[in-house]
Amino acid sequence: METIDIDYEGIEQLPLKTFTEKAYLDYSMYVILDRALPHIGDGLKPVQRRIVYAMSELGLLAAAKHKKSARTVGDVLGKFHPHGDSACYEAMVHLAQSFTCRYPLIDGQGNWGSSDDPKSFAAMRYTEARLAPYAEVLLAELGQGTVDWAPNFDGTLEEPLLLPARLPNVLLNGAAGIAVGMATDIPPHNLDEVAKAAILLLDKPKSTVDELCEIILGPDFPTGAEIITPRAELIEAYKSGHGSVRLRACYEKENDEIIITALPYQTSGGKVLEQIAAQMLAKKLPMVEDLRDESDHENPTRLVIVPRSNRVDTDALMLHLFASTGLERTARINLNMIGLDGKPRIKDLRGILKEWLEFRLETVRLRLQYRLDKVNRRLHLLDGLLIAFLNLDEVIRIVRTEDKPRPVLIKRFDLSEEQADYILDTRLRQLARLEEMKIKGEQQELARERDGLKQTLSSKQRMKTLIKKEIQEDAKKYGDARRSQLIDRAPAQVLDETALIPSEAVTVVLSKNGWVRVAKGHEIDPAEMTYKSGDEFAMAARGRSNQLTVFIDSTGKTYALPTHSLPTARGQGEPLSGRLKPADGARFVGVMAGDPEQLFLLASDSGYGFTIKLSDMFTRNKAGKSTLSVPRGAGVLPPVPVRSQDDDWIVAVSTEGYMLVIPLAELPQMSRGKGNKIINIPSARLKTREEYVAAIRCIQDGEKLTVFAGKKHKTMKAAEVDEFEGERGRRGRKLPRGYQKVDSIRVEEKT
């Protein structure tokens, strides 16, 4: 096989490791310096600077007419920034959005997006733009020798490396960007506060961050909202250059409705409403009845939340929404920027202001020196013009007779080349009309200005006074009130659903077949309600809508469900088996509701039982919680609410008519188990189910008891009931003849 010799002469050879490392570092520095990070001088990234400069070159100043945005983008791309048009236009839009930029640099006309959807702006062929008045802060001194210039990408034009900002725009409008290995998140600030802080640092160069923070209270975001970050944390962030700030929406109450008037920076009102609506659909916000977005041109943010009742605690509801939606968010603080030395660095607040004042001092020095040079040149030309005026006839003779009048004029009147050219370029009729007094008057004015400029340039204190005066003038012209108020607020927290639900009196009704429903109020008669064919009323419990309802099944397991989530009594309810997972063959036999500390008597028909707090039966497990231990073959009796642990007596009646009355206090309070024996049922009769406990109730002194046996019933007065009092665990006494096959008992409580 023939080999081919390759001549590598003149070709640079590098190890792959060296080449890739250098290429990546070059790319990194380009992204950091020429794309992602702002410069401390004018607070702009290169694309933003080029947009503002290109618009000024197009004459699109604040007093000009709006022109198509496509024209601006075309100029920026064609002359200074050879990148994508969509990215360039998006950067331009960012500078025009009042909800994104604290002090917009561009005045847009058309659809420039909305705070709800910042990227919903129209295409650049539809929108029009011009510079905003605030842009004058960056451009006013541009043509006065204040900044360095560099060739554009193709070397045909020059562009400014920086804009001569008269205010620290890097703090006023902030910046956000991601470079390679670093990022920046500079929040916007209030112009008046930053101007005062800069002046303080001019007057007292040794001022600390703490002293500056007495003036600069914190960031000031364009959309308002509240800053709830503790002051100490903000000061620490300004000292270290990185931290975070917590923003919270503002709201007010209007006709029992909650009106959200300001949202955190870069938060979409539409997304917030979606988050709230999702909670409503998931039945996690039953206290909210309706949502509306009433935002318009006059009210950019007006979100309406309609509570279901005027009893809803709106402050607690809002704390829940702050914790669970975008109504509260954290914004990062990372004061990373390119300094005057051209290097990126995270700076503290004092360092930023101090370095910007150095930039401003040098900018003003260059501006004054530029003006001084112009004044000196004009004085020099006027000196020559005055000589020509005083020797007009001789000048005219030389111009007429000499082939080369320029060197003759220079030699005859001791002029400079520039003076001679100026005299020769002056029209004769203009020269003839000149008056000596006018020339001398202009000379005197320029001489005074020259002396003033020299004095200012030679005195650092005069320079500081001038800068201070200009900052104050700009602050007066462009400053405004703070939008983001700093307020101490309670921390947001997701509250338990029950704490957010209106507390309304309700009655939970359970049917024999395990269907459940909730009726408003405590006055209804559940037995009179309609039930499905083959079903009937079993038990009811009175509670409140913001509490949990507990059910107990025939195996002794308890289950808990939020009362507000149960179906209403407008229909016939729903089967509990659709929401819970009882064991096969188990059926629901009781329902309990009320305060979590409420005591209930749980018992099996074997004659054993105990008291238990309602909260001890709470569980999130759909399969239930083993609470009452039921002996084999026995059943669970409906739970009995306890009115008073000291005053209640237990009445237990067996199916064979044996009745026993004992003090409730003799039963233990437990969280689970079998309990103690209440009434004795012979084990042999219990096993064969010949006899078991038919009913258990709690009764108090003076109350009547009605015993039901088949179609017969007997109402016993308090004295008659007392006759059945005995020791716990005994057999009890037999009821009178005819009431020895007991179905149920009922206590007529005192009202």
Side-chain angles (χ1 to χ4, degrees):
M1 184 176 179
E2 186 180 353
T3 59
I4 301 174
D5 293 330
I6 300 175
D7 184 10
Y8 291 103
E9 186 178 350
I11 298 175
E12 183 181 3
Q13 297 184 55
L14 287 172
L16 183 61
K17 176 179 180 294
T18 305
F19 172 77
T20 52
E21 183 177 328
K22 181 178 183 301
Y24 189 71
L25 282 173
D26 289 346
Y27 167 73
S28 301
M29 292 309 297
Y30 164 74
V31 173
I32 291 168
L33 300 178
D34 287 339
R35 189 161 76 189
L37 300 188
H39 194 282
I40 194 169
D42 57 13
L44 299 177
K45 301 176 185 179
V47 65
Q48 296 171 330
R49 188 178 301 118
R50 286 163 176 165
I51 289 169
V52 172
Y53 174 65
M55 290 184 74
S56 70
E57 287 295 287
L58 283 169
L60 297 177
L61 302 177
K65 289 184 177 180
H66 294 82
K67 288 187 179 177
K68 288 289 184 184
S69 302
R71 185 168 180 180
T72 298
V73 173
D75 254 43
V76 173
L77 300 186
K79 294 180 178 179
F80 310 114
H81 196 74
H83 296 277
D85 59 342
S86 58
C88 179
Y89 180 49
E90 191 167 332
M92 181 179 173
V93 169
H94 182 277
L95 295 176
Q97 291 176 333
S98 60
F99 49 85
T100 301
C101 207
R102 180 64 178 86
Y103 298 97
L105 293 167
I106 294 174
D107 174 19
Q109 189 169 271
N111 176 12
W112 289 81
S114 66
S115 56
D116 197 45
D117 186 4
K119 295 197 174 184
S120 62
F121 50 85
M124 59 185 172
R125 61 182 177 274
Y126 298 119
T127 60
E128 297 179 343
R130 66 183 177 189
L131 289 170
Y134 174 76
E136 190 69 12
V137 168
L138 302 176
L139 296 167
E141 301 172 359
L142 186 58
Q144 301 177 24
T146 50
V147 294
D148 293 329
W149 296 72
N152 69 338
F153 63 89
D154 62 2
T156 58
L157 297 168
E158 286 198 328
E159 61 176 316
L161 295 177
L162 288 175
L163 296 181
R166 293 165 60 95
L167 291 170
N169 186 60
V170 71
L171 284 176
L172 300 182
N173 273 324
I178 300 174
V180 176
M182 62 178 63
T184 183
D185 286 285
I186 307 170
H189 292 79
N190 183 267
L191 195 154
D192 284 339
E193 293 178 2
V194 172
K196 288 176 183 175
I199 290 169
L200 175 66
L201 206 56
L202 269 176
D203 293 337
K204 299 178 180 178
K206 293 185 179 180
S207 297
T208 63
V209 172
D210 291 280
E211 290 171 330
L212 293 173
C213 285
E214 291 294 321
I215 299 172
I216 298 178
L217 303 178
D220 189 23
F221 294 93
T223 55
E226 294 176 350
I227 295 175
I228 61 171
T229 303
R231 180 165 176 74
E233 289 185 23
L234 285 175
I235 294 175
E236 184 57 36
Y238 283 128
K239 285 180 179 178
S240 63
H242 55 79
S244 63
V245 57
R246 195 80 178 156
L247 300 171
R248 179 178 288 184
C250 300
Y251 71 95
E252 56 192 37
K253 298 170 189 175
E254 186 179 296
N255 299 327
D256 295 329
E257 295 179 338
I258 301 169
I259 313 296
I260 297 170
T261 55
L263 291 170
Y265 185 53
Q266 294 180 334
T267 296
S268 164
K271 288 184 179 178
V272 167
L273 289 179
E274 284 179 16
Q275 291 170 338
I276 299 174
Q279 292 191 42
M280 292 172 67
L281 287 173
K283 295 187 177 181
K284 292 182 179 179
L285 281 178
M287 73 299 300
V288 176
E289 184 175 5
D290 192 20
L291 296 174
R292 295 197 305 272
D293 186 353
E294 295 182 355
S295 306
D296 54 26
H297 184 70
E298 292 183 5
N299 301 289
T301 301
R302 185 179 169 85
L303 307 181
V304 182
I305 301 173
V306 184
R308 192 171 295 278
S309 163
N310 58 9
R311 293 188 296 275
V312 172
D313 186 343
T314 54
D315 292 333
L317 169 60
M318 289 307 296
L319 283 175
H320 170 80
L321 293 178
F322 289 143
S324 59
T325 69
L327 290 175
E328 183 176 315
R329 66 180 292 266
T330 298
R332 288 191 301 271
I333 296 177
N334 184 19
L335 306 180
N336 191 8
M337 62 197 73
I338 299 169
L340 297 181
D341 58 0
K343 297 177 181 178
R345 188 172 289 111
I346 295 174
K347 304 176 186 294
D348 66 353
L349 180 62
R350 182 179 180 275
I352 293 171
L353 287 172
K354 186 181 177 186
E355 196 166 336
W356 180 83
L357 285 171
E358 290 176 15
F359 167 79
R360 182 64 188 152
L361 198 67
E362 178 62 16
T363 302
V364 172
R365 188 193 68 76
L366 290 171
R367 187 190 82 203
L368 296 179
Q369 187 62 52
Y370 179 80
R371 178 60 184 166
L372 180 60
D373 293 343
K374 288 191 73 174
V375 168
N376 284 332
R377 180 174 180 273
R378 179 64 179 165
L379 283 170
H380 182 61
L381 294 176
L382 287 176
D383 287 342
L385 197 61
L386 187 60
I387 292 171
F389 179 81
L390 295 174
N391 301 278
L392 189 57
D393 293 339
E394 179 66 12
V395 170
I396 292 172
R397 186 193 66 76
I398 291 172
V399 171
R400 288 185 64 191
T401 59
E402 296 293 336
D403 293 336
K404 294 182 178 179
R406 184 168 176 264
V408 177
L409 284 172
I410 292 172
K411 185 177 180 181
R412 172 70 179 80
F413 298 109
D414 194 21
L415 300 175
S416 68
E417 292 183 359
E418 193 175 21
Q419 286 174 320
D421 289 338
Y422 187 66
I423 292 169
L424 291 171
D425 289 340
T426 303
R427 291 183 181 181
L428 186 60
R429 66 168 179 261
Q430 292 174 327
L431 192 63
R433 290 203 311 269
L434 289 176
E435 299 176 10
E436 182 180 359
M437 292 303 294
K438 285 185 177 179
I439 296 174
K440 289 185 176 179
E442 187 179 352
Q443 281 181 319
Q444 289 173 356
E445 286 182 17
L446 291 173
R448 281 195 296 271
E449 185 181 354
R450 177 194 60 199
D451 294 341
L453 289 169
K454 285 182 176 179
Q455 282 183 333
T456 303
L457 282 167
S458 61
S459 169
K460 195 169 184 179
Q461 187 56 46
R462 282 177 177 266
M463 290 282 284
K464 286 185 176 181
T465 302
L466 176 61
I467 292 171
K468 179 178 175 180
K469 182 182 176 183
E470 291 176 348
I471 289 175
Q472 288 172 332
E473 288 174 353
D474 288 333
K476 186 177 180 181
K477 187 174 182 181
Y478 302 108
D480 57 5
R482 167 172 277 277
R483 297 181 190 176
S484 299
Q485 301 302 319
L486 283 83
I487 303 177
D488 290 331
R489 296 289 191 193
Q493 55 183 355
V494 177
L495 299 179
D496 185 69
E497 290 179 34
T498 56
L500 293 168
I501 299 161
S503 180
E504 297 175 340
V506 293
T507 301
V508 184
V509 181
L510 179 69
S511 75
K512 290 278 188 185
N513 291 342
W515 283 58
V516 67
R517 50 186 148 167
V518 178
K520 288 186 178 181
H522 289 167
E523 295 76 26
I524 67 153
D525 184 359
E528 297 298 321
M529 299 173 73
T530 59
Y531 294 86
K532 296 180 76 70
S533 178
D535 201 1
E536 60 181 325
F537 169 68
M539 188 178 178
R542 294 186 176 97
R544 306 200 74 81
S545 56
N546 62 341
Q547 297 172 337
L548 290 178
T549 297
V550 175
F551 303 91
I552 187 167
D553 69 9
S554 55
T555 66
K557 283 188 173 182
T558 56
Y559 309 78
L561 288 173
T563 305
H564 70 85
S565 70
L566 299 175
T568 66
R570 292 173 185 167
Q572 292 178 328
E574 295 177 7
L576 279 172
S577 56
R579 299 195 178 199
L580 304 173
K581 296 178 180 178
D584 291 341
R587 55 187 180 81
F588 293 97
V589 298
V591 58
M592 293 163 277
D595 187 89
E597 296 299 310
Q598 166 75 46
L599 285 175
F600 284 85
L601 170 59
L602 295 188
S604 64
D605 62 14
S606 64
Y608 286 82
F610 59 91
T611 59
I612 183 173
K613 285 195 298 186
L614 186 66
S615 59
D616 288 335
M617 295 182 276
F618 291 168
T619 177
R620 292 184 179 180
N621 191 347
K622 290 186 176 182
K625 173 183 180 181
S626 296
T627 303
L628 177 64
S629 298
V630 184
R632 183 175 295 177
V636 176
L637 293 172
V640 181
V642 173
R643 286 175 282 166
S644 170
Q645 208 165 2
D646 297 324
D647 299 332
D648 279 11
W649 293 74
I650 300 174
V651 179
V653 183
S654 77
T655 53
E656 290 298 311
Y658 285 93
M659 187 168 89
L660 179 64
V661 178
I662 65 169
L664 176 73
E666 291 191 7
L667 276 191
Q669 181 180 325
M670 303 169 64
S671 59
R672 60 187 299 173
K674 179 180 178 182
N676 287 5
K677 183 181 284 189
I678 300 171
I679 185 171
N680 182 32
I681 307 292
S683 57
R685 296 178 67 81
L686 191 61
K687 284 181 181 179
T688 59
R689 299 298 284 175
E690 292 180 51
E691 185 181 359
Y692 52 88
V693 178
I696 285 181
R697 291 287 182 273
C698 285
I699 193 170
Q700 292 186 354
D701 291 342
E703 293 180 338
K704 296 178 181 179
L705 178 73
T706 303
V707 179
F708 295 88
K711 295 182 179 180
K712 300 169 63 177
H713 68 277
K714 176 180 176 60
T715 300
M716 304 169 64
K717 294 181 180 179
E720 294 177 87
V721 176
D722 291 344
E723 294 176 5
F724 290 84
E725 183 183 345
E727 293 182 18
R728 181 183 63 79
R730 296 296 184 180
R731 182 76 165 130
R733 290 179 57 193
K734 261 215 167 189
L735 287 165
R737 186 181 295 275
Y739 294 94
Q740 295 177 0
K741 295 293 182 181
V742 178
D743 298 321
S744 63
I745 57 176
R746 184 177 69 201
V747 175
E748 295 184 17
E749 297 178 3
K750 291 181 288 188
T751 57

